[in-house]
Amino acid sequence: MVESLRIDLNCDLGESFGRYVLGEDAAMMKLVTSANVACGFHAGDPAVMAHTVALAKAHGVALGAHPGYPDLQGFGRREMRMSPQEAAQIVLYQIGALAGIARQAGLTLRHVKPHGALYNQAAQDPELAMVIAQAVFDFDPRLILVGLAGSELIRQGVAVGLQVANEGFPDRAYLPDGALMPRGQEGAVITAPESVARNALRLVREGVMVNGDQVRVDTLCLHGDNPEAVENAKAVRRILDAENVEIRPF
Amino acid sequence: MVESLRIDLNCDLGESFGRYVLGEDAAMMKLVTSANVACGFHAGDPAVMAHTVALAKAHGVALGAHPGYPDLQGFGRREMRMSPQEAAQIVLYQIGALAGIARQAGLTLRHVKPHGALYNQAAQDPELAMVIAQAVFDFDPRLILVGLAGSELIRQGVAVGLQVANEGFPDRAYLPDGALMPRGQEGAVITAPESVARNALRLVREGVMVNGDQVRVDTLCLHGDNPEAVENAKAVRRILDAENVEIRPF
Amino acid sequence: MVESLRIDLNCDLGESFGRYVLGEDAAMMKLVTSANVACGFHAGDPAVMAHTVALAKAHGVALGAHPGYPDLQGFGRREMRMSPQEAAQIVLYQIGALAGIARQAGLTLRHVKPHGALYNQAAQDPELAMVIAQAVFDFDPRLILVGLAGSELIRQGVAVGLQVANEGFPDRAYLPDGALMPRGQEGAVITAPESVARNALRLVREGVMVNGDQVRVDTLCLHGDNPEAVENAKAVRRILDAENVEIRPF
Amino acid sequence: MVESLRIDLNCDLGESFGRYVLGEDAAMMKLVTSANVACGFHAGDPAVMAHTVALAKAHGVALGAHPGYPDLQGFGRREMRMSPQEAAQIVLYQIGALAGIARQAGLTLRHVKPHGALYNQAAQDPELAMVIAQAVFDFDPRLILVGLAGSELIRQGVAVGLQVANEGFPDRAYLPDGALMPRGQEGAVITAPESVARNALRLVREGVMVNGDQVRVDTLCLHGDNPEAVENAKAVRRILDAENVEIRPF
């Protein structure tokens, strides 16, 4: 008898700030099982965080922290050279801040996923990955660390004793080493909903190739910052439902 | 038989930022029983917070959050008109952030004391005081809320079910309603160590007069942001020791 | 022979930030004669400012600085209690910053209009109004100071020797003293395009009543931060054109 | 007949922020001929800038802008990966902001020297150096661009048509390519006043070796952020006076 496949669907949410609205949060909350909530450094502010936590609660979506570099203008996508210790401190600070906001809603955090340049650097740099993983563990050893499938961050998460979730990106092209093709390059971002959906199904069934090794995928990242993304997310859900893949939190 | 008097001594600490050093933290940690640690909005950054938490741990000083307005240039001393809800959100955010940093050191928070303009506004404004008290309670109902002795913040803290600590200022002059004389006015700040020490003893013995009522004082605020402050703190400890006042955490 | 009426139309622009897009800048630039550009404190960043300056240049729209409080989360709409001197310094800083960006495009500034809470406080507080007016004069005595029609800011601008522009708001209700009805109150904001247009025409013809005195209006503020605003702006232009009011920079 | 040697002495000043005091500005203003004033991104705020401009005016010290990355916690010493265009925009913004503050004192800017990581990156990266040089030129073609002696920033400054000043560091060790030895390495920072003074004299007489070529030095950087630095500065002045080197602005 075949074990049925299952997958978590996650989305970066709560990335508005003050008067600035970004993302289709209300629509995406209905489509995902895990919400990665910005913590005020690359996006989000205490009011946005409180609103996003309430939204996750209303939809029964698992709550996670999405810490990034302190760079609102650059949306956390510009590399900063801080020491690994400084990086760990900003991660702890942001996880704690979101956990504080979440307590008023009676929620606790279930996972942590670094954002943007911090995510990408932690996918490659063992020392950075290690201190981030340790910070997450120190905050709460039951937290799940979400990182690029097969990356250094996943390795270090396992090493410090955390549960990890290998993340796949159905709307992005991959390099042979498992890294994402940089956004600037042609073909890096996949926009057609049916292509995204097919990629999603393939990622669930076959995982990601990382230097020739097959790495399973535990969660798919669904972007939510434009109306098309909602269509993509729906297309992904349709194909997974049609193929009897169970959608549930990791 | 006479019950012996006792008092907590607190100090605002961790108010450095990046390369900027402020306060005699190492000296003051030896002299106080409670540390109110800045949380990155009016002062402090994740690295300073981690350092300050470690210092408190090394000296066995009780750890508290010291949340303020998001105004580093004004050091949280300039009033901002945010909605009570926004104020509650920034308080939760900051308490959480410090709690996150503290977890890496294995510490939990024991108290919360708002800073600067937020402290002063919460001493007078019932709605603001209430939402702050509720935020502290929601974060952790065992936290102790520190506020100006006899103020609205103390009243609302009691109302929501928190333990509270009435704070006295031995280096400040009081108005008849229990408010502090504003810093700008003549005689508002007391600098001679012996005067500060005598005031400390009087506050412990007699409390503060608030509109004709005597309000007991649970904790004395010792400033630590200049070398003289260390002398004042020592003078306070000397007089309290000489008069058999027990110095211990509230 | 009757002198034909004329009016300037201004809009607050460049209020995006980083990835966050706010306002229909491209559409509004075609409809106004003066652009008030955010300077990075309440909104805007150096990249947004450069883009907005280029847009103003392309459309031949007069360029002005729109300095506000350092409060991105609150969009500069939350009162801050800084000293008049501090307020003057942040105004000079922001005017200078925009002037720096504008130089790369070969443009100079023509006017300054404070934003949000700073605008409203300067409309009432003589000392604040005076230091702001002086700061504008010190930057460049040829700058035109834009303020609420008949307000303290206008009075102080005249007193320091600046040219001033009395501003009217066709989409807002007024109080008898010439102040705007606060946004929270019912009827404070007028949304129907034909009502806004009629108000615009009335403001041009009759000015604003300030404590019983008629004050002429030199410029109308057209909001540009929602699609309806563009419709309002077009309606205003239509009625002014139909009534032979000349639309040109003050 | 021998032409007498001459040199400019510069110092990074105005690096305080809000309540945070950094640097011996009052002492250093008496010892230098050029002041590089922080512009609010890596250090400094509008009030500090106004104070520093007044101090420079009182001492007749030439005024320059010292723009850095937007990273107060890291004091602008942490590399950020922004696009060259973004870097140019933050430079223009900061030059303009200081120029705005300076106008109230009736001063104009004479030079621009990038700070910290921006300075070091611009010393090596031709594209970054070029856009910075172009931004300075666009702001005012009469400004003098200060950069590491023999570096890419100097080359690009010349290329765009600016006057440039080659800067030498008497308290730092050099690498063979003319770069400064990174602060972390042993021997990178020279602290003994007599060594600093000897280095200063050598830099004036022999310049810096850059890949085997001798590059003349137009200005020496005297650090001013600790009391010892004042002693170093005095030692440098003594040796230069003794050796008849004329100290005057470049």
Side-chain angles (χ1 to χ4, degrees), chain A residues 39-41 45-51 86 88-90 92-101 103-104 131 134-135 138-140 142, chain B residues 39-41 45-51 86 88-90 92-101 103-104 131 134-135 138-140 142:
Chain A
C39 301
F41 274 41
D45 64 43
V48 168
M49 290 160 73
H51 176 75
E86 288 172 323
Q89 289 159 347
I90 64 166
L92 272 169
Y93 183 99
Q94 292 178 75
I95 300 174
L98 180 64
I101 298 283
R103 282 210 196 174
Q104 196 157 38
V131 298
Q134 189 63 50
D138 289 343
F139 187 84
D140 184 347
R142 295 162 300 180
Chain B
C39 301
F41 274 42
D45 64 44
V48 168
M49 290 160 73
H51 177 75
E86 288 172 322
Q89 289 158 346
I90 67 167
L92 272 170
Y93 183 99
Q94 291 179 76
I95 300 174
L98 181 64
I101 298 283
R103 282 210 197 176
Q104 195 158 41
V131 296
Q134 189 63 51
D138 289 342
F139 187 84
D140 183 350
R142 295 161 300 180

Side-chain angles (χ1 to χ4, degrees), chain B residues 34-199:
Chain B
S34 294
N36 321 310
V37 181
C39 301
F41 274 42
H42 76 279
D45 64 44
V48 168
M49 290 160 73
H51 177 75
T52 311
V53 164
L55 208 58
K57 185 178 184 179
H59 290 85
V61 171
L63 194 67
H66 194 41
Y69 280 125
D71 178 20
L72 190 65
Q73 191 196 339
F75 200 65
R77 288 183 174 165
R78 302 190 291 202
E79 276 189 29
M80 293 182 70
R81 299 272 161 187
M82 41 176 76
S83 71
Q85 194 183 17
E86 288 172 322
Q89 289 158 346
I90 67 167
V91 166
L92 272 170
Y93 183 99
Q94 291 179 76
I95 300 174
L98 181 64
I101 298 283
R103 282 210 197 176
Q104 195 158 41
L107 295 188
T108 53
L109 304 186
R110 204 265 318 246
H111 66 280
V112 174
K113 171 184 163 183
H115 169 84
L118 185 63
Y119 180 92
N120 291 326
Q121 289 175 275
Q124 310 245 357
D125 177 338
E127 191 182 2
L128 179 62
M130 189 269 285
V131 296
I132 291 176
Q134 189 63 51
V136 172
F137 185 90
D138 289 342
F139 187 84
D140 183 350
R142 295 161 300 180
L143 283 168
I144 299 165
L145 180 61
V146 181
L148 186 68
S151 72
E152 198 55 44
L153 184 59
I154 292 294
R155 241 184 314 281
Q156 298 294 337
V158 171
V160 304
L162 286 168
Q163 290 183 74
V164 295
N166 282 284
E167 185 176 32
F169 292 81
D171 62 355
R172 295 292 295 275
Y174 280 85
L175 301 177
D177 67 352
L180 300 177
M181 186 179 292
R183 283 171 188 274
Q185 294 184 27
E186 190 171 328
V189 178
I190 297 147
T191 52
E194 62 277 17
S195 302
V196 175
R198 267 198 311 273
N199 279 344

Side-chain angles (χ1 to χ4, degrees), chain C residues 1-234:
Chain C
M1 188 190 130
V2 177
E3 194 195 358
S4 85
L5 288 169
R6 62 190 177 87
I7 192 76
D8 172 79
L9 300 179
N10 80 74
C11 186
D12 303 343
L13 295 164
E15 299 192 320
S16 295
F17 186 90
R19 258 197 91 187
Y20 300 113
V21 176
L22 184 69
E24 303 285 325
D25 287 19
M28 292 303 295
M29 275 295 184
K30 297 177 184 160
L31 300 170
V32 297
T33 44
S34 295
N36 321 309
V37 181
C39 301
F41 275 41
H42 77 278
D45 64 43
V48 168
M49 290 159 73
H51 176 76
T52 310
V53 164
L55 208 56
K57 186 177 184 180
H59 289 84
V61 171
L63 194 67
H66 194 41
Y69 280 126
D71 177 20
L72 190 65
Q73 192 197 339
F75 200 66
R77 288 184 173 163
R78 303 190 291 200
E79 277 190 28
M80 294 182 68
R81 298 273 162 187
M82 42 176 75
S83 71
Q85 194 182 17
E86 288 172 322
Q89 289 158 346
I90 65 167
V91 166
L92 272 169
Y93 183 99
Q94 292 178 74
I95 300 174
L98 180 64
I101 298 282
R103 281 209 197 174
Q104 196 158 40
L107 295 189
T108 53
L109 305 186
R110 202 264 321 242
H111 66 280
V112 174
K113 172 184 163 182
H115 169 84
L118 186 62
Y119 180 92
N120 291 326
Q121 288 175 275
Q124 310 246 356
D125 178 338
E127 192 182 0
L128 179 62
M130 189 269 285
V131 297
I132 290 176
Q134 189 63 50
V136 172
F137 184 91
D138 290 343
F139 187 84
D140 183 348
R142 295 162 301 181
L143 284 168
I144 299 165
L145 180 61
V146 180
L148 186 68
S151 73
E152 199 55 47
L153 185 58
I154 292 294
R155 242 184 314 280
Q156 298 294 335
V158 170
V160 305
L162 284 169
Q163 291 183 74
V164 295
N166 282 282
E167 185 177 32
F169 291 80
D171 62 356
R172 295 292 295 275
Y174 281 84
L175 301 178
D177 67 351
L180 299 178
M181 187 180 291
R183 282 173 188 273
Q185 294 183 28
E186 190 172 328
V189 179
I190 296 147
T191 52
E194 62 276 19
S195 301
V196 175
R198 267 197 311 270
N199 279 343
L201 185 61
R202 189 174 42 75
L203 286 166
V204 171
R205 286 183 168 155
E206 303 170 20
V208 169
M209 293 306 289
V210 178
N211 295 322
D213 291 329
Q214 208 175 8
V215 174
R216 79 157 197 284
V217 164
D218 304 305
T219 181
L220 296 176
C221 182
L222 301 182
H223 289 106
D225 47 7
N226 56 67
E228 299 75 48
V230 176
E231 288 317 303
N232 286 346
K234 287 179 177 170

Side-chain angles (χ1 to χ4, degrees), chain A residues 203-222:
Chain A
L203 286 166
V204 172
R205 287 185 168 155
E206 303 170 21
V208 169
M209 292 307 288
V210 178
N211 294 322
D213 292 329
Q214 208 175 8
V215 175
R216 77 157 199 284
V217 163
D218 304 306
T219 181
L220 296 176
C221 181
L222 301 182

Side-chain angles (χ1 to χ4, degrees), chain D residues 1 4 12 17 70 107 130 166 177 182 184 205 220 230-231 244:
Chain D
M1 189 191 130
S4 85
D12 302 344
F17 186 90
L107 296 188
M130 190 269 285
N166 282 283
D177 67 351
R205 286 184 168 154
L220 296 176
V230 176
E231 288 317 303
N244 289 315

